[in-house]
Amino acid sequence: MKKILTTLTIFLLAGCGSHIDRGAANGASKLAATSTEQLALIPYPESVTRLPGTLVLHNVVHVEAADGTATSTLALKNLLKTLDITRDTSASTQIQLYLVDEPALGSEGYRLDIDQQIILSANTDTGLFYAVQTLSQLLPSQVQAHYELPNTSIIDSPTFSWRGNMLDVARSFLSVEYIKAHIDRMARFKLNRLHLHLSDDQGWRIEITDYPKLTQIGGASAVDGGRSGFYTQAEIRDLVKYAQDRHVTLVPEIDLPGHTQAAIASYNELACDDVTNLAPYSGLEVGFSKLCLTDPDTTYTFVTDVLTDIVKLFPSQYIHIGGDEIKDPLYPEFIARATRIVADLGRTAIAWEEGSVADNDPDVLLQLWNDKYDIQPALDRGHQLILSPCSYSYFDHGNYQGQPNTYDWCRKEGVPLERAYQLNPQAYTQILGVESAMWSELIHTDHTADNRLWPRVTATAELGWSRAENRDYQEFLTRLNALRPMLDAMGIQYYREPALNW
Ligand code: ACM
């Protein structure tokens, strides 16, 4: 850590922007004040330099924002509003949002300089949005008479472009309101991919234009004790926009060709003629249903129609076609065809790891979910991965061993916070990023969803964003503890993790 801070200070002294140059004039005192004490930030930034003194922020500031910074400016205004800080052009303290041209910051990086003023700089509105998120973590969550911020220079950018979380809304539905709250919470931790598992045996959750029974029948079922429902296309458009404004990409998954009982119950012709089980399903088994792969006309017409609607609704470059837990001699051919259908629609397919057996274009992304799956042959063919190894990333597993209503098939000790934090993405090659997954067979309420997601999702955020050398579990716990009031203010009903004394 010390080495990093020293390197950063030298970089600052070299000067790379007007306000940095101003700071360089008293560089010696900055060096003296450099502290290894961590700010309470998750994910921890690439580099932090503490400067002497603090900035006292009274309840009125002057905000100056460049053109093209709509989402970050709005996020800043909302932050100020929650803290009862008003804006006035005559205020002595300024918060400035600058668009700059600094290739090293990339498309998501930013600088945050707190000294006499607060200066946010980035190449993009996205980077500025993340600077605002950092600022929001430095400020308290409750209104105060005034606010004190440590004088600091932060230079930050993510390690991985894919920093994801998956919600299974198929086994048990989650409302539009919950998804929106989750997007807000993700954004606060700089997570940027929300993967929605929209279909499975127990339910079909998205309106498809030419197949109304998918939602009339498939939308009405759920796992035993779970919630049914579906999103209309208007609701999906609203969610997509809501997520875009928070720099989160919604990644849709239609699980094919297995995990399809809800589709088969809605349109029986999707199953082969010898299949007798055509009823909606509410149990816990997997691997029993499939589209009829020996009837390509019916199957590929359906798949093409559904995916055509999906790409109309979701701007995501990546569209997930599932592909897990099915045995069929025609499975590899199905995956290859389905990934090409996605490509013909101008997008790129993602498949769960099993899809690696198919003859796919190397740009097809694979999502690793079994720790020990042999993905090397796919890597050799040039595929890239999303990392979701179940023993670290499956948040349907217990926060502790034996937690009621959790699974333990992947790891009998569950996936405690420390385990979630221990995933080392740097041990893998060809990865786009990380994603934790919350399957919902045993998660039927918002309260339980919160309990399974939080605080573990903060570990996903740090794995996806922070440099390996900046990750330390004990320091992470200290920072997380300090952010507890922020989780409370966001209404998160988190698991009271003993390691945090919560
Ligand atoms: C999976 O857990 N079947 C992707």
Side-chain angles (χ1 to χ4, degrees):
M1 179 65 63
K2 248 190 194 105
K3 182 164 173 287
I4 297 158
L5 291 171
T6 308
T7 312
L8 167 73
T9 309
I10 290 163
F11 173 58
L12 289 179
L13 291 174
C16 52
S18 59
H19 56 289
I20 297 290
D21 286 339
R22 192 188 62 220
N26 59 358
S29 65
K30 281 184 186 184
L31 270 174
T34 298
S35 158
T36 54
E37 183 194 325
Q38 288 200 327
L39 296 174
L41 295 170
I42 295 177
Y44 203 70
E46 187 177 355
S47 53
V48 174
T49 301
R50 301 287 295 275
L51 310 176
T54 57
L55 169 68
V56 177
L57 193 59
H58 293 283
N59 55 3
V60 51
V61 296
H62 173 33
V63 173
E64 222 176 64
D67 287 346
T69 62
T71 67
S72 49
T73 302
L74 183 61
L76 177 62
K77 286 179 180 171
N78 288 338
L79 171 64
L80 297 176
K81 205 159 129 194
T82 62
L83 296 175
D84 258 357
I85 300 172
T86 54
R87 286 174 285 125
D88 191 301
T89 48
S90 66
S92 58
T93 307
Q94 292 192 12
I95 304 181
Q96 298 167 358
L97 289 84
Y98 284 122
L99 285 173
V100 293
D101 183 10
E102 286 184 28
L105 293 177
S107 60
E108 296 185 296
Y110 66 91
R111 284 193 280 122
L112 174 60
D113 294 286
I114 301 171
D115 198 336
Q116 306 298 309
Q117 315 294 350
I118 300 175
I119 301 173
L120 291 62
S121 329
N123 292 325
T124 62
D125 191 22
T126 308
L128 289 172
F129 181 84
Y130 288 139
V132 173
Q133 303 314 312
T134 297
L135 187 59
S136 78
Q137 292 192 358
L138 291 174
L139 287 161
S141 301
Q142 307 297 335
V143 173
Q144 295 184 357
H146 65 267
Y147 301 90
E148 208 169 314
L149 287 163
N151 286 346
T152 306
S153 259
I154 293 174
I155 302 177
D156 200 10
S157 66
T159 302
F160 298 111
S161 62
W162 192 287
R163 305 179 301 277
N165 181 243
M166 189 210 80
L167 297 178
D168 171 7
V169 295
R171 271 53 176 268
S172 185
F173 187 63
L174 289 164
S175 67
V176 167
E177 292 67 38
Y178 189 88
I179 302 290
K180 285 186 174 175
H182 192 58
I183 290 167
D184 283 326
R185 296 163 177 185
M186 285 177 64
R188 190 62 67 91
F189 291 94
K190 305 187 178 79
L191 289 159
N192 67 351
R193 297 286 184 274
L194 175 55
H195 167 179
L196 292 175
H197 183 76
L198 289 165
S199 69
D200 213 301
D201 292 316
Q202 296 86 346
W204 185 283
R205 306 297 178 214
I206 183 164
E207 180 186 6
I208 300 294
T209 308
D210 291 336
Y211 296 83
K213 288 195 288 185
L214 284 173
T215 43
Q216 286 161 12
I217 296 171
S221 57
V223 75
D224 265 337
R227 296 184 288 204
S228 59
F230 66 91
Y231 308 112
T232 65
Q233 294 197 353
E235 285 172 331
I236 291 290
R237 283 192 199 94
D238 177 47
L239 275 176
V240 165
K241 170 82 172 75
Y242 191 89
Q244 276 175 333
D245 288 346
R246 288 150 184 82
H247 302 273
V248 173
T249 302
L250 295 188
V251 181
E253 179 189 355
I254 301 295
D255 202 349
L256 303 164
H259 288 269
T260 39
Q261 189 66 17
I264 288 166
S266 308
Y267 290 94
N268 294 173
E269 60 272 30
L270 293 172
C272 288
D273 290 343
D274 59 346
V275 173
T276 54
N277 174 15
L278 300 168
Y281 183 69
S282 60
L284 295 175
E285 297 302 314
V286 295
F288 62 90
S289 63
K290 57 186 169 187
L291 302 179
C292 186
L293 300 187
T294 51
D295 179 1
D297 286 349
T298 305
T299 292
Y300 292 106
T301 301
F302 175 74
V303 169
T304 304
D305 288 347
V306 168
L307 291 176
T308 300
D309 262 22
I310 292 290
V311 302
K312 277 186 198 151
L313 290 167
F314 292 91
S316 170
Q317 179 58 35
Y318 288 101
I319 304 292
H320 206 309
I321 57 150
D324 57 326
E325 297 181 309
I326 171 194
K327 290 208 176 352
D328 190 290
L330 294 175
Y331 170 78
E333 182 189 325
F334 175 87
I335 293 295
R337 269 183 85 162
T339 60
R340 268 173 223 133
I341 289 168
V342 173
D344 288 345
L345 291 166
R347 307 295 177 87
T348 308
I350 310 172
W352 293 107
E353 61 195 16
E354 296 98 312
S356 63
V357 301
D359 180 19
N360 294 316
D361 286 343
D363 64 346
V364 169
L365 208 53
L366 296 167
Q367 187 162 9
L368 191 73
W369 64 278
N370 276 294
D371 291 42
K372 298 207 167 74
Y373 189 85
D374 182 14
I375 203 71
Q376 191 57 46
L379 296 180
D380 293 344
R381 292 196 304 277
H383 290 280
Q384 286 204 295
L385 303 181
I386 303 167
L387 284 184
S388 308
C390 54
S391 84
Y392 298 91
S393 311
Y394 270 26
F395 294 170
D396 56 347
H397 279 53
N399 285 292
Y400 59 92
Q401 183 164 7
Q403 183 176 17
N405 298 316
T406 62
Y407 277 132
D408 64 1
W409 57 262
C410 181
R411 189 168 188 268
K412 70 174 176 9
E413 301 89 346
V415 180
L417 179 65
E418 182 169 12
R419 175 73 182 179
Y421 195 79
Q422 278 166 348
L423 175 65
N424 180 16
Q426 280 73 17
Y428 296 78
T429 56
Q430 290 166 237
I431 69 166
L432 218 54
V434 294
E435 184 176 298
S436 48
M438 192 193 75
W439 302 99
S440 64
E441 286 99 324
L442 306 177
I443 298 169
H444 306 153
T445 66
D446 293 355
H447 182 280
T448 312
D450 275 11
N451 175 283
R452 302 300 186 268
L453 289 165
W454 302 96
R456 290 185 287 189
V457 167
T458 62
T460 313
E462 186 137 312
L463 296 175
W465 183 283
S466 303
R467 302 295 181 274
E469 61 271 25
N470 282 342
R471 293 200 311 263
D472 176 275
Y473 184 60
Q474 290 308 322
E475 287 176 337
F476 170 73
L477 290 181
T478 304
R479 288 181 273 122
L480 188 47
N481 236 333
L483 291 174
R484 185 179 181 185
M486 192 185 83
L487 299 186
D488 286 330
M490 298 186 94
I492 299 176
Q493 301 180 74
Y494 46 77
Y495 167 63
R496 289 172 183 267
E497 170 62 54
L500 293 155
N501 296 319
W502 285 7

